[in-house]
Amino acid sequence: MQNEKHILNSAINKPKTFYTIGIGLTLLFGLGHIAYAFVEYEMLDEQALWFFSGALAVLFNAGLNLLYFYECSRLNFMVAMSANFALLVFSLLLVFVIQETQTFGFAVVVIYTTVLCYIHNGYAVLIK
């Protein structure tokens, strides 16, 4: 009985670890976006504020994923998936508009995090 519980816990921990990596990468992109805003723009104008607000949106998305990671409720799942899906659509559109390596990398991270958020929901249901 104890071995079965240990195996079950190890199987559940892998998606949680992968989801944590996705959230961390999203945070990294958000913080990098903020740092690059100070490098790219010398003065605070409208374009700089829009660029900075994009970073805030990414950070808030990571925050919603962290909230769902630690508190697996149905409402948190719906909010996190809605935010992930909105960011996913935006990042895929961004890849077509700005065809650069960092936008492609960001889209991959958003896809990864969205898929793992969905998978995490299945494991959260198993635990309850």
Side-chain angles (χ1 to χ4, degrees), residues 9-127:
N9 286 339
S10 66
I12 288 174
N13 285 335
K14 286 184 182 181
K16 287 180 87 168
T17 302
F18 293 144
Y19 189 34
T20 306
I21 291 168
I23 295 169
L25 289 172
T26 305
L27 278 170
L28 189 64
F29 265 101
L31 293 173
H33 206 269
I34 287 175
Y36 188 69
F38 292 112
V39 172
E40 180 71 20
Y41 300 100
E42 295 175 4
M43 54 188 270
L44 191 64
D45 59 356
E46 183 180 358
Q47 192 171 5
L49 288 175
W50 276 110
F51 193 84
F52 190 80
S53 70
L56 290 178
V58 173
L59 290 176
F60 287 136
N61 177 270
L64 290 172
N65 279 293
L66 274 174
L67 176 68
Y68 176 61
F69 181 81
Y70 287 112
E71 184 61 41
C72 298
S73 70
R74 187 75 180 150
L75 176 63
N76 286 346
F77 172 69
M78 296 304 290
V79 169
M81 280 304 290
S82 298
N84 285 337
F85 186 71
L87 193 61
L88 176 66
V89 169
F90 178 76
S91 66
L92 291 176
L93 288 173
L94 190 65
V95 167
F96 290 107
V97 174
I98 303 172
Q99 298 176 350
E100 294 181 8
T101 306
Q102 64 271 18
T103 57
F104 178 75
F106 178 65
V108 168
V109 167
V110 172
I111 291 169
Y112 176 83
T113 306
T114 303
V115 168
L116 285 169
C117 181
Y118 182 76
I119 291 171
H120 181 68
N121 182 53
Y123 282 99
V125 170
L126 285 176
I127 294 171

